[in-house]
Amino acid sequence: MPPDPDLQRLAERIRSRSGVDLFHLAVVFGSGLAPAELFPATDAFPYADLPGFPQVSVPGHEGRLLLGTLPNLRILQFCGRFHLYEGFSAWECAAPVRLAALLGCRKLVLTNAAGAVNPQLQPGDPLFISDHINLQGDNPLIGRPDSFVDLSCLYQRALFPSLAAAARQRGLVLREGVLAAVSGPCYETPAEVRMLAGLGADAVSMSTVAEAIVGKYLGLEVAALSLITNRAAGVSGAPLSHGEVLRQARRCREDFAALIRSLIGFWSENSKNGF
Ligand code: HPA
């Protein structure tokens, strides 16, 4: 990775305060999705106490990095992410992923709130992201060295069958689908949503793809889950609002957190050396 002195300093600070040299996995929580406790947190760093790290500005994003330690897993939980519509570049949006890579993480779980383009998806449904369509008008690798990254197998699709079975046990239907990413901040028009459907998208969000691309660029394995918080514009007649997105996300976040725990468990079992 090109040197990033600010992030390197932060990584050093997190290492020395936590006494942990190497973390294994990072989770980035989307709008309203950070649960009360994914795993017990051993330490918390408000983003405001991380000089050089971007600061959150959107309701529903706490702006806190939680460290967690389980017997075989050291985890970074980013409660709050960065969006193009806040004025960040795609590379800046991926600051949590770059910090996670500096701290040794080799696995990345991305989550987001998303609107359903596919009429089979309903508010409250989880969606396993199998692929994406980047319509954000920015790519985080512009201007980076060695940036011809192959995205053919960006997301860890092999985890889907076990995770779908785990979801069924909780009474949830987990589907696989393609995420379209737009810049926001306004929601799409109905005509744009029809276009997204025509392009093969199942859901639409304003985040995630920059982080996924940077994850792959830095050698991390990436898995991503959406929570469908609304039907996209024109799919139903209901008005769209960030308040409603947050309400749905908060309503479903504990079930969603259980899915993330299962995903991490399967991933650990399927990895030759655990984490
Ligand atoms: N469109 C874009 N992003 C979103 C939506 C949506 O309908 N819902 C939640 N994030």
Side-chain angles (χ1 to χ4, degrees):
M1 170 160 65
D4 189 331
D6 276 349
L7 284 188
Q8 269 159 354
R9 261 194 301 278
L10 290 186
E12 211 26 69
R13 201 165 136 207
I14 291 167
R15 274 203 197 94
S16 69
R17 188 165 116 181
S18 64
V20 176
D21 267 349
L22 204 66
F23 289 81
H24 300 107
L25 177 139
V27 184
V28 180
F29 291 108
S31 300
L33 288 174
E37 187 172 83
L38 182 68
F39 294 109
T42 51
D43 204 352
F45 290 81
Y47 292 175
D49 294 350
L50 298 177
F53 203 63
Q55 298 302 310
V56 290
S57 67
V58 185
H61 290 269
E62 266 179 77
R64 233 158 48 114
L65 166 60
L66 303 180
L67 311 189
T69 309
L70 293 177
N72 62 347
L73 171 67
R74 289 183 286 281
I75 182 166
L76 301 172
Q77 304 172 57
F78 290 93
C79 306
R81 67 140 55 89
F82 312 105
H83 306 85
L84 288 165
Y85 63 73
E86 295 172 86
F88 295 113
S89 68
W91 179 248
E92 288 167 337
C93 287
V97 178
R98 292 186 282 129
L99 182 57
L102 283 171
L103 285 165
C105 290
R106 289 286 113 329
K107 289 181 166 57
L108 174 66
V109 179
L110 299 171
T111 69
N112 63 37
V117 173
N118 180 336
Q120 285 191 316
L121 294 168
Q122 310 197 23
D125 285 350
L127 179 73
F128 186 92
I129 299 176
S130 57
D131 204 346
H132 77 225
I133 302 173
N134 181 5
L135 298 170
Q136 295 203 298
D138 194 2
N139 185 303
L141 303 188
I142 292 172
R144 307 283 140 198
D146 303 318
S147 53
F148 295 113
V149 176
D150 178 6
L151 300 184
S152 312
C153 301
L154 175 51
Y155 298 98
Q156 292 288 312
R157 296 182 68 178
L159 296 170
F160 174 70
S162 328
L163 196 60
R168 258 193 310 280
Q169 281 177 2
R170 299 189 69 84
L172 298 168
V173 178
L174 178 69
R175 292 191 170 82
E176 259 193 306
V178 173
L179 181 76
V182 294
S183 69
C186 54
Y187 293 103
E188 303 68 47
T189 64
E192 287 166 342
V193 171
R194 287 195 296 278
M195 175 194 75
L196 296 177
L199 292 178
D202 296 290
V204 56
S205 90
M206 302 177 193
S207 68
T208 303
V209 302
E211 295 146 317
I213 292 170
V214 171
K216 180 81 179 182
Y217 176 60
L218 298 178
L220 279 71
E221 296 174 40
V222 182
L225 278 176
S226 292
L227 179 79
I228 301 298
T229 50
N230 57 282
R231 293 192 169 86
V235 177
S236 80
L240 305 187
S241 73
H242 188 57
E244 178 55 17
V245 166
L246 289 184
R247 198 184 68 76
Q248 280 291 352
R250 288 178 175 140
R251 187 177 70 82
C252 302
R253 68 183 159 193
E254 296 305 332
D255 270 343
F256 196 71
L259 270 189
I260 298 171
R261 279 191 286 270
S262 300
L263 186 151
I264 292 170
F266 294 133
W267 213 349
S268 160
E269 285 162 22
N270 290 353
S271 303
K272 278 197 208 84
N273 305 315
F275 282 99

